[in-house]
């Protein structure tokens, strides 16, 4: 690999810097959550535990349906940690993956059969162009790197992937692998806000954020070749 290929391109450099800043902010919130008392949040956790299985199912369905649309998933991820503790990791992974697949299949079907003004608006979104360029250059690997740290909106990555040549099964695998580190880290943040979690979760959360940033950095340094 030549020196030019190994250097970060300006757009990739901005993504890595943004990801690093986001990771530091999340880690600081985890530390604050462990150090500050939150009796009200602990009460909410107790209420959630007393409601039984139906509330878990309702949360899972709501998370899946809402995040198919361009609505940030962070609220659900943090809430899962607050309400369900570590079990929230599984709930968020299942719901987010299901939402990503539903959005991908729906947008691709509409784009293939009935191109519409809605899809035109997706393509005109200012954040769409760099995401689409990364998908053309990296294919399904770009899906994973864009999921590692939320440098682009979750829904936009779903829609842009559907409008790219990326196939469903590689997209699904890359989505699961890419979402895991950040999802676990943020759910642990929510868990820490109850004041009942172990201080070691700070280390775990920080390590997971570092994995996400490192993955994005490695991807950004790899040479790219345009794909049809």
């Amino acid at each position: 690999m030549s020196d030019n290929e190994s250097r970060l391109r300006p757009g990739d450099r901005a993504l890595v810097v943004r990801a690093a800043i986001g990771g530091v902010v999340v880690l600081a919130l985890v530390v604050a959550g462990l150090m500050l008392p939150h009796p009200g949040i602990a009460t909410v956790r107790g209420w959630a535990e007393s409601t039984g299985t139906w509330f878990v199912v309702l949360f899972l369905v709501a998370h899946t349906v809402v995040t198919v649309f361009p609505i940030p998933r962070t609220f659900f991820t943090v809430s899962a940690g607050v309400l369900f503790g570590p079990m929230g990791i599984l709930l968020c992974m299942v719901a987010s993956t299901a939402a990503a697949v539903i959005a991908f299949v729906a947008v691709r079907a509409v784009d293939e059969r009935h191109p519409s003004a809605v899809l035109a608006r997706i393509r005109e979104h200012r954040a769409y162009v760099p995401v689409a360029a990364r998908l053309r250059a990296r294919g399904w690997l770009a899906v994973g790197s864009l999921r590692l740290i939320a440098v682009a909106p979750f829904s936009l990555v779903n829609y842009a992937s559907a409008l790219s040549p990326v196939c469903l099964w590689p997209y699904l695998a890359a989505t699961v692998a890419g979402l895991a580190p950040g999802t676990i880290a943020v759910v642990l943040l929510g868990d820490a806000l109850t004041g009942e979690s172990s201080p070691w979760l700070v280390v775990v959360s920080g390590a997971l954020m570092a994995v996400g940033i490192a993955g994005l950095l490695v991807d950004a340094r790899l040479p790219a070749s345009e794909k049809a």
Side-chain angles (χ1 to χ4, degrees), residues 198-223:
S198 167
W200 281 104
L201 292 182
V202 177
V203 178
V204 174
S205 185
L208 290 168
M209 297 301 296
V211 167
I213 295 170
L216 183 63
L217 181 61
V218 168
D219 175 77
R221 294 179 69 92
L222 291 173

Side-chain angles (χ1 to χ4, degrees), residues 64-209:
T64 301
V65 173
V66 170
T67 52
V68 167
F69 301 96
I71 298 173
R73 59 189 281 269
T74 306
F75 170 78
F76 285 98
T77 313
V78 175
S79 296
V82 171
L83 296 171
F84 309 113
M87 187 182 77
I89 295 170
L90 177 61
L91 295 176
C92 284
M93 286 298 299
V94 171
S96 296
T97 303
V101 171
I102 292 170
F104 180 93
V105 171
V107 170
R108 178 159 291 185
V110 173
D111 185 50
E112 291 176 349
R113 299 176 185 178
H114 307 288
S116 66
V118 174
L119 298 180
R121 290 186 62 182
I122 293 173
R123 292 188 174 98
E124 290 171 1
H125 192 291
R126 69 176 182 178
Y128 171 78
V129 174
V131 170
R134 182 176 285 270
L135 287 165
R136 288 195 301 272
R138 300 267 193 264
W140 62 270
L141 290 173
V143 177
S145 69
L146 288 167
R147 303 290 198 196
L148 284 170
I149 298 292
V151 294
F154 174 73
S155 59
L156 181 63
V157 176
N158 298 337
Y159 306 154
S161 298
L163 299 174
S164 77
V166 175
C167 296
L168 175 60
W169 292 112
Y171 166 83
L172 174 59
T175 292
V176 172
L179 284 177
T183 298
I184 295 170
V186 177
V187 170
L188 292 181
L189 161 63
D191 187 33
L193 292 176
T194 64
E196 299 176 356
S197 56
S198 167
W200 281 104
L201 292 182
V202 177
V203 178
V204 174
S205 185
L208 290 168
M209 297 301 296

